[in-house]
Amino acid sequence: MPSHVSADRPAAQPPGRGSVEALISQTRRLKGDVDAVRRDTQSSGSDPEERWQRALYELALHQLDDLDEHLAQLRDGPAPPPAGVETAPARHAAPASGSLLSRVGSAEWNLLTDEASWSGELYRILGRDPATPALTLDELPALVLDDDRPRLTAMVTACLVDAKPIDGEFRVLRPDGDVRTVHMMGEPVLDGDAGTASMWAVLRDVSELRRSQRTVRETRDTLQRHHRRAETEQRLAVELQEAVLPPGRGALRLPRQGPGTLDVAARRLPSGARGLLGGDWYDALELADGDTLLSVGGLTGHGVAVASGMTMLLGAVRGMAMAGTRPGQLMCLLNQLLDATVQPALGSAVCCRYRPATRTLTWAQAGHPAPLLFRDGTGCALSAPQGVLLGATSKAGYGQAEVTLEPGDLLLLHTDGVVPGHSGADSLDALLRLAPRFGAARTAQDCVRAVVEEFGENEREDEACVLVARVGE
């Protein structure tokens, strides 16, 4: 919009009707496409990112609605004002059609006669009675909220004194108590001596558009807070794991060495999906009486609460094993502990107690895959004693099994998901097929490396753990 408008400037020619019709058609096609995508993204609303996307779609539709209606104004030309309402000159009047009747108005203020002329649409925007006189520039600030009056005053002063165009917003309080946001665009009209004779403006009700924009900002801020919180929780969960679990790579050094003792190695296999840190654990610990504790397990879910629950459970396993609790009774007590927690959870575990002097393995399980025993180039799953998931029922009973190992035997304990895309019998078969490689391996660490090479380290949907213990010669 030019900064100076000549009073005798020829009226601008409207654009060709055909070109406007083409723009209207393109706009409406785009509206249909955006609306179709918006409907396809509907959800329960619990995901902040989805809420943000829906808010952006709503804002885009508001913008396209406005564009469609303004193009219709260009095509249809001015609408006649309501009876009895004085309007601004025709070249300033805002054409109106459909819902724009209450959204775009126009006005002209004559500085020489101190007269004001409003279109009928402006009366509707400001909630004024069309039978009352239009407000002068001195009276207009009375409708504006206190915080916005200095802005309106500065815009009008710059227009009248410095011949600058007006382009700004302010909020008005209508007589019915409704607060509306108005966008005002205008120019000074100069007389023959280059003095300002009058000022004209187009005023648009942008309340709904600004509401949509606020929604976008608020949902974007919510999403950013959600991401920051998720990153914080992820970091805390990682720190909890690292604080309580043995090293995630390499051999696990046990204090005692000699005939019948175990060579132990383990690996924590992360999820391929960022942020899916769960409650899986593994552990190898030499006990006070010379036995060795081997355990793996996990809680369902992800995040800090699950990592905290895993820390509690692993601490309980270590404490009870150190106190001499046998694996079957240990599982019973773990189940009672999980059942008594404030936040209900489900978990699975296998707990083994190995005595080097007799090479005896005593073990129990709670809804968990049995340890795999590899001997002489073949492997099998140990026959599992009874045991349901931890936390499933408060009165669950847990059995206990015992097996005597031989020098060179290899035990593999793991959590679900070690074999990506497979579970149950399929996962078991895939692990048992590693028997020849295990037979040729010299150390437990070599066996863990074979598992990682075979099934990958970052390809699974959820994290997993694998622990290998080899009986010394």
Side-chain angles (χ1 to χ4, degrees):
M1 187 178 293
S3 59
H4 295 80
V5 179
S6 173
D8 56 357
R9 181 186 65 182
Q13 295 299 313
R17 186 179 182 89
S19 61
V20 175
E21 288 286 1
L23 288 173
I24 291 174
S25 297
Q26 293 176 12
T27 301
R28 290 177 180 175
R29 282 197 300 270
L30 182 56
K31 282 171 56 181
D33 293 341
V34 173
D35 191 44
V37 176
R38 179 184 63 84
R39 289 196 301 270
D40 289 342
T41 60
Q42 293 296 323
S43 71
S44 60
S46 59
D47 187 336
E49 188 162 359
E50 291 179 353
R51 289 201 301 271
W52 183 48
Q53 290 174 347
R54 289 198 304 276
L56 287 174
Y57 284 130
E58 294 291 348
L59 177 59
L61 287 173
H62 273 303
Q63 300 273 21
L64 290 170
D65 282 339
D66 288 343
L67 178 58
D68 184 14
E69 291 167 347
H70 284 302
L71 289 172
Q73 285 183 317
L74 289 173
R75 179 194 63 194
D76 299 338
V85 176
E86 184 181 6
T87 64
R91 66 187 179 91
H92 306 314
S97 64
S99 62
L100 283 180
L101 281 173
S102 59
R103 294 175 60 186
V104 179
S106 62
E108 181 162 356
W109 289 275
N110 190 313
L111 304 182
L112 303 179
T113 63
D114 200 27
E115 293 177 341
S117 177
W118 286 7
S119 69
E121 294 85 352
L122 184 55
Y123 277 96
R124 295 185 181 92
I125 291 173
L126 302 180
R128 303 281 296 179
D129 183 356
T132 61
L135 299 183
T136 66
L137 283 177
D138 290 335
E139 296 169 329
L140 185 62
L143 302 180
V144 180
L145 296 186
D146 292 344
D147 292 343
D148 294 354
R149 285 177 187 168
R151 185 181 309 125
L152 174 62
T153 300
M155 288 191 299
V156 171
T157 300
C159 180
L160 300 182
V161 176
D162 300 323
K164 292 183 177 181
I166 290 176
D167 188 353
E169 292 183 6
F170 50 87
R171 292 166 297 167
V172 298
L173 178 63
R174 293 165 36 128
D176 60 7
D178 190 19
V179 175
R180 309 298 291 178
T181 301
V182 176
H183 184 199
M184 184 177 184
M185 298 183 67
E187 293 181 345
V189 178
L190 307 181
D191 58 20
D193 298 325
T196 303
S198 63
M199 187 187 85
W200 70 269
V202 172
L203 295 95
R204 177 183 174 213
D205 185 346
V206 294
S207 303
E208 294 303 315
L209 184 59
R210 297 298 174 256
R211 180 196 60 77
S212 295
Q213 291 173 330
R214 284 195 302 272
T215 301
V216 169
R217 287 195 300 271
E218 291 167 0
T219 51
R220 180 193 60 207
D221 293 343
T222 299
L223 179 62
Q224 291 174 344
R225 289 194 298 270
H226 176 79
H227 284 168
R228 288 195 295 268
R229 183 170 63 250
E231 290 172 354
T232 301
E233 289 182 353
Q234 175 76 0
R235 185 178 68 255
L236 290 174
V238 170
E239 291 173 354
L240 278 173
Q241 276 195 344
E242 293 176 345
V244 300
L245 295 182
R249 295 174 179 269
L252 305 181
R253 301 296 180 185
L254 298 176
R256 300 188 185 186
Q257 302 295 319
T261 58
L262 297 178
D263 170 26
V264 183
R267 180 73 65 89
R268 185 166 57 248
L269 303 172
S271 165
R274 182 179 179 272
L276 287 181
L277 189 67
D280 285 11
W281 84 78
Y282 63 89
D283 199 20
L285 181 67
E286 188 167 289
L287 304 176
D289 60 1
D291 288 359
T292 300
L293 169 71
L294 303 174
S295 71
V296 297
L299 289 178
T300 58
H302 304 90
V304 174
V306 172
S308 177
M310 177 273 291
T311 303
M312 175 193 69
L313 236 57
L314 181 55
V317 169
R318 289 172 173 173
M320 288 187 287
M322 278 291 187
T325 306
R326 308 301 291 173
Q329 179 63 17
L330 189 151
M331 288 297 177
C332 289
L333 295 174
L334 276 185
N335 184 63
Q336 293 176 19
L337 176 63
L338 200 58
D339 184 66
T341 56
V342 175
Q343 293 184 338
L346 290 176
S348 69
V350 60
C351 180
C352 306
R353 193 180 185 103
Y354 174 73
R355 176 154 295 179
T358 60
R359 297 193 302 276
T360 303
L361 183 79
T362 305
W363 69 284
Q365 63 84 29
H368 200 90
L372 305 183
L373 173 61
F374 294 86
R375 178 183 294 170
D376 298 330
T378 62
C380 67
L382 298 180
S383 297
Q386 68 172 358
V388 299
L389 286 171
L390 299 172
T393 173
S394 59
K395 298 180 180 180
Y398 295 87
Q400 185 172 282
E402 188 173 290
V403 61
T404 300
L405 303 180
E406 298 179 5
D409 281 356
L410 185 141
L411 286 172
L412 187 149
L413 284 65
H414 65 94
T415 59
D416 289 331
V418 168
V419 182
H422 294 80
S423 60
D426 290 341
S427 177
L428 173 63
D429 291 342
L431 289 169
L432 292 178
R433 284 196 292 271
L434 293 176
R437 295 190 63 177
F438 290 164
R442 293 182 301 172
T443 65
Q445 176 62 17
D446 290 339
C447 297
V448 171
R449 188 177 297 113
V451 173
V452 175
E453 290 174 354
E454 184 71 21
F455 305 118
E457 187 170 11
N458 297 295
E459 301 174 1
R460 51 200 43 80
E461 294 182 0
D462 210 341
E463 68 173 357
C465 296
V466 60
L467 182 148
V468 173
R470 186 170 184 173
V471 180
E473 302 288 345

